[in-house]
Structure formats: structure tokens, C-alpha cells
């Protein structure tokens, strides 16, 4: 066992982990370690060679590797340690980190604080139960992205995409540019799960049809995919007989959702939120285990890496404050955030007003598309504290509202975030 005690150990060297470690370093922690299971830092951004990153954080448009490279360079200019190709096996309640790699073998390190930044993973075919045989040619969109952008292999020539998440939309464009024929994008919901800009730039600009309210009901093929059957769904998401469409394809990409990577979190018995599939966190991203923080896609799935960075910096500041104050930052008063009408979840789930400096950002997603004027309403004890107008709301695009210290003082122990339709607003 290594006798060294770190001020902070960060699990994950993706955009969240790098930003959290850097912020904690800048706030005064000098014994910081990042542990990453991959052979390189940068996380998923390394394979995201398209642009569109950094518009909020760096005020310029970057590719994924460029965005990651900025943080890798900044971290390398500090005394932050990084262990690559190292797997974290367990985190204990007394902040012991169990890990293993080929160089050091099995190690147990102690930390005064921990930031969980493991990111997320893709749902697979097994998670959605698509009927048919199990031929080659069925990939998650992220796997296909890595094959094409990192390994240099073409996944297929005639491609059908199930799901309209951002990775699937981006791969529709990427494969088209590489010479493949993307036949269609099929989405089970009546709306897209991706950003509007990706619908336009990746599907509409390339004349790729998007079938909403449809699903693949059969995958054909023995050794390799030879085709698929797509059917329209009714309001109960059951296939409607007579609506079959057959596609002659050799490849199927699945872009059917992302799941926060939280096996370590659950093993540590940290309180989880069934809505986000991530940890329940306070305003500084501290979890139910004091001194252990979580951020990025391990908390909830983001649509923009800029927001991942912002949240990671909050966690980094929180970890630094925890260590520098010797863990004495608890608060008597806690505000619980609740879902109101058409809101899927909120992050953070709990706010300690006495620990908020000026304001706290509340992130959330709506459950359905609102194409006409709607209002975000935040209430406490029957009193409306905030009302904000929105001309468009969609589940694929995360929303945020900033609450000031003065507004938090008006709360009576809980806050409810709701969506009010324009015709219902008084």
C-alpha cells in the first residue's frame, strides 16, 4: 500500500476529469492525481474529430481533439500527476482508491477528496431488445466512430441508423463524407434526441431521411447484416401492421442513449438518482459521501462539452474548498429540488444556500418538445420565484436557470422546476 495521501484523486482523464483537476490545482490543492483507464488522456473527445466544441468555454470553434488538447496542455503545465492505463476497482467510504495497472500492480491510495468523472457509455442492442439474428455489422455509433476516426476502418457501405442521438447524427454525416450510403435515421420517439443544429447539419444538409415514431423490428442476415425491417409505431410504441419498410443494408448503427458510468459510485453506496442514473449531488457537486464529488456525464448526460467543463470546475472548486477547510463546510439548511410539470430531472438535486457565493446554476431537461412559447417556472411553498420565457424547448437540449443568493433566501426548503405552456400562463 502506498503511504502517500493525495489532496485530490480524480477518476477519469476526459474533459470532466481534466477540468476538475486543473480547477482544484488553481484553487490551492498541490497533491493532485488523475487516474485514467485508457492509454491516453482526453476521453471520448479524442475520436470526435468534427468541430463545434468550445464555443461557450473558449469562445471559438474547435474539434474534439483540439478541445481536449487545450486541457491536456494546461494540466501538463502544472504538477498534477496522471496515471494512464490504470483501472480503478473500488472507492471506499474512507476515501481509499483501489487500482491496478501493469507497471505498479495492485495499489491502494488515500485521498482527502475524490472527484468521480468516469463519463458515460452507450446503450447496446441487448439493452433495447431488437429482434433478429446476431450478425456482424451491428455497432453502437461510438464504436463506429472510433473504428473510422481512430483505427481507420470503414464500418460499412450501406448504413441504417437507429436512434437520433447526437453521436448517431454526427456519424450519419461522417459516413456520408467517407462514401457510405446512409439510408435513413430511425427514431422511436416523436421527436429527435439530438441537438437541432445536428439535425440540420448532419441529416437535412445531406438529404438523409429521419423517420420519427418508427423503429427497427427485425434485423436480417446470418454472418453479416443483409437488411432490416422498419415499422411505424402507435401511441403505445407498438408496431402498426402494414407499415413495414425494408432496407437493404450491410450495417446498423445504434444511437439509442447514453448511461452514466457509475459502478464505482454504486459500490461506494453513494445515493443515486433514478432519473439521471447518476449520483445525487449538492450545489458544489458533492455526493452523499462527504469529500467525494461527481461531475460531467457521470452525473447526467450533457449535450455540450462546454457544460461538462463548467460542471467539472464547480466540482474542482468544491473539492478544493473541502480540503482547505478540513471538511468543515456542512450546512444546516438544505433545499431539495423537485420535478414539476414536464421536467425530467434537475441537477443539482440539493442546494445548501449558505455555501452559495453569488448564484447557482440549475440544469434540467424537459420531457417533450415545446415549439411554441413556454415558460420555465420555479416555485417554493406555492410562491413563484422565477419565470423565464422560452420560444423552444426540447428533450435533446439541456436547459439551465441561474438562481441568486437572494432568490434562494425566498425558498421554504424545496424548489420545484416546472414548464408552463404559453396558453396556460397567467
Amino acid at each position: 500500500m502506498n503511504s502517500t495521501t493525495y489532496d485530490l484523486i480524480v477518476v477519469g482523464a476526459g474533459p470532466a476529469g481534466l477540468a476538475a483537476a486543473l480547477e482544484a490545482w488553481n484553487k490551492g490543492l498541490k497533491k493532485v492525481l488523475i487516474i485514467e483507464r485508457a492509454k491516453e488522456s482526453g476521453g471520448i473527445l479524442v475520436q470526435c474529430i468534427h468541430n463545434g466544441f468550445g464555443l461557450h468555454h473558449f469562445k471559438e470553434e474547435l474539434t474534439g481533439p483540439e478541445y481536449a488538447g487545450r486541457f491536456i496542455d494546461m494540466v501538463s503545465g502544472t504538477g498534477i500527476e496522471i496515471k494512464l492505463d490504470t483501472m480503478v476497482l473500488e472507492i471506499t467510504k474512507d476515501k481509499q482508491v483501489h487500482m491496478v495497472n501493469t507497471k505498479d500492480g495492485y495499489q491502494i491510495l488515500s485521498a482527502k477528496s475524490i472527484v468521480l468523472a468516469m463519463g458515460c457509455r452507450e446503450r447496446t442492442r441487448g439493452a433495447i431488445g431488437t429482434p433478429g439474428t446476431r450478425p456482424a455489422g451491428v455497432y453502437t455509433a461510438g464504436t463506429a466512430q472510433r473504428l473510422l476516426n481512430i483505427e481507420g476502418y470503414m464500418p460499412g457501405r450501406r448504413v441504417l441508423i437507429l436512434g437520433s442521438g447526437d453521436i448517431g447524427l454526427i456519424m450519419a454525416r461522417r459516413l456520408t463524407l467517407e462514401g457510405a450510403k446512409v439510408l435513413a435515421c430511425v427514431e422511436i420517439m416523436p421527436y429527435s434526441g439530438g441537438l437541432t443544429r445536428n439535425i440540420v447539419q448532419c441529416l437535412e444538409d445531406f438529404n438523409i431521411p429521419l423517420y420519427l415514431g418508427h423503429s427497427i423490428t427485425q434485423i436480417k442476415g446470418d454472418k453479416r447484416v443483409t437488411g432490416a425491417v422498419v415499422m411505424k409505431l402507435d401511441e403505445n410504441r407498438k408496431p402498426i401492421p402494414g407499415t413495414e419498410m425494408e432496407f437493404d443494408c450491410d450495417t446498423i448503427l445504434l444511437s439509442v442513449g447514453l448511461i452514466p458510468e457509475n459502478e464505482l459510485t454504486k459500490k461506494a453506496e453513494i445515493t443515486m438518482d433514478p432519473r439521471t442514473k447518476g449520483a445525487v449531488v449538492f450545489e458544489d457537486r458533492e455526493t452523499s459521501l462527504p469529500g467525494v464529488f461527481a461531475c460531467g456525464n457521470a452525473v447526467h448526460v450533457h449535450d455540450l462539452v462546454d457544460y461538462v467543463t463548467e460542471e467539472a470546475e464547480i466540482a474542482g472548486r468544491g473539492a478544493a474548498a473541502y480540503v482547505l477547510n478540513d471538511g468543515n463546510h456542512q450546512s444546516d439548511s438544505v433545499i431539495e429540488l423537485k420535478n414539476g410539470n414536464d421536467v425530467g430531472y434537475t441537477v443539482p438535486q440539493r442546494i445548501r444556500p449558505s455555501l452559495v457565493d453569488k448564484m447557482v446554476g440549475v440544469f434540467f431537461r424537459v420531457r417533450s418538445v415545446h415549439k411554441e412559447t413556454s415558460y420555465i417556472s420555479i416555485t417554493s411553498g406555492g410562491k413563484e420565484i422565477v419565470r423565464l420565457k422560452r420560444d423552444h424547448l426540447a428533450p435533446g437540449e439541456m436547459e439551465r436557470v441561474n438562481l441568486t443568493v437572494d432568490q434562494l433566501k425566498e425558498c421554504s426548503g424545496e424548489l420545484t422546476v416546472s414548464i408552463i405552456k404559453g396558453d396556460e400562463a397567467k
Side-chain angles (χ1 to χ4, degrees), residues 263-338:
E263 277 63 36
L264 291 173
T265 318
K266 294 172 185 174
K267 198 170 183 179
E269 298 182 4
I270 289 170
T271 303
M272 304 294 290
D273 188 334
R275 304 168 301 174
T276 60
K277 305 295 189 292
V280 171
V281 293
F282 288 95
E283 71 296 324
D284 60 356
R285 300 310 185 262
E286 187 175 26
T287 67
S288 60
L289 187 57
V292 177
F293 300 76
C295 61
N297 286 343
V299 175
H300 61 125
V301 176
H302 295 64
D303 43 15
L304 297 177
V305 72
D306 305 72
Y307 292 156
V308 168
T309 298
E310 179 185 348
E311 187 173 75
E313 289 175 342
I314 293 171
R317 286 194 295 274
Y322 179 87
V323 173
L324 296 173
N325 293 324
D326 295 322
N328 300 318
H329 77 170
Q330 297 303 310
S331 170
D332 296 332
S333 171
V334 176
I335 298 172
E336 299 279 345
L337 276 77
K338 298 182 178 297

Side-chain angles (χ1 to χ4, degrees), residues 245-257:
M245 293 186 289
E246 292 205 19
F247 288 88
D248 174 19
C249 57
D250 61 17
T251 305
I252 292 173
L253 297 193
L254 304 177
S255 181
V256 292

Side-chain angles (χ1 to χ4, degrees), residues 361-396:
V362 175
F363 295 86
F364 64 94
R365 287 186 189 269
V366 296
R367 290 183 176 276
S368 60
V369 175
H370 296 259
K371 295 183 178 180
E372 298 179 353
T373 299
S374 299
Y375 296 88
I376 299 169
S377 174
I378 299 182
T379 59
S380 181
K383 177 184 177 183
E384 187 171 63
I385 296 170
V386 175
R387 177 174 289 202
L388 298 171
K389 181 181 177 182
R390 290 288 189 272
D391 293 325
H392 175 79
L393 293 167

